Amino acid sequence: MKQKIGNIALVVNDYDEAIDFYVNKLKFDLIEDTKLTSKKRWVLIAPKGSNETRILLAKADSEEQINSIGNQSGGRVFMFLFTDNFEREFENLKLNNVTIVRKPVKEPYGKVLVFSDLYGNLWDLIQPKE
């Protein structure tokens, strides 16, 4: 049996501001945006060229969820975005004023930097060593 992670839920404050950040600044694809109720939508995004794991933008609807926005991993890096062109992605982050938390470094596994999304969740941008 083959398994894979299909979607990962990311708790957000607002659907439209999250779509704007991920689609317009990070250049992700908007896969689906379906209204489910007057307050709830099914919003899927994915990095360009990705056909495996997607991110479900889930609007917080309780105090506990609201308190987790931007800190879903307790202050650790939460998401790992792999790229085949580190310099292109780094320039895009700078161009779109995305906060770089840790400047680019070369590690044994490849080039990496840490950035934060619009809510403060930490992401690694990684170009793996070939």
Side-chain angles (χ1 to χ4, degrees):
M1 171 184 196
K2 180 183 175 189
Q3 294 181 323
K4 69 177 182 179
I5 305 264
N7 301 327
I8 296 173
L10 178 64
V11 181
V12 300
N13 184 52
D14 178 81
Y15 291 116
D16 293 321
E17 75 180 1
I19 291 169
D20 180 59
F21 178 82
Y22 288 103
V23 172
N24 295 325
K25 292 191 176 199
L26 295 189
K27 307 302 183 202
F28 283 19
D29 289 327
L30 178 61
I31 307 299
E32 183 177 351
D33 184 356
T34 302
K35 184 176 180 178
L36 300 175
T37 69
S38 63
K39 294 182 180 181
K40 191 173 182 180
R41 290 158 53 184
W42 183 261
V43 180
L44 286 174
I45 59 170
K48 290 229 179 275
S50 176
N51 58 7
E52 290 284 333
T53 305
R54 296 173 175 180
I55 298 172
L56 174 69
L57 300 177
K59 185 176 178 184
D61 67 359
S62 71
E63 189 171 332
E64 181 180 8
Q65 291 176 11
I66 290 168
N67 291 334
S68 74
I69 294 172
N71 192 25
Q72 289 186 222
S73 63
R76 294 190 56 107
V77 170
F78 179 55
M79 299 280 195
F80 298 81
L81 179 61
F82 284 59
T83 183
D84 62 353
N85 188 324
F86 188 88
E87 286 73 24
R88 176 192 65 220
E89 303 304 337
F90 182 39
E91 288 304 314
N92 182 63
L93 294 174
K94 292 190 298 187
L95 178 69
N96 284 289
N97 297 312
V98 174
T99 302
I100 306 298
V101 176
R102 286 186 218 122
K103 296 193 184 295
V105 295
K106 288 184 181 179
E107 295 288 354
Y109 54 85
K111 295 178 189 174
V112 63
L113 65 75
V114 179
F115 70 92
S116 66
D117 68 15
L118 74 163
Y119 298 115
N121 293 300
L122 299 179
W123 290 65
D124 268 3
L125 173 66
I126 300 171
Q127 182 174 352
K129 255 188 169 174
E130 293 184 10

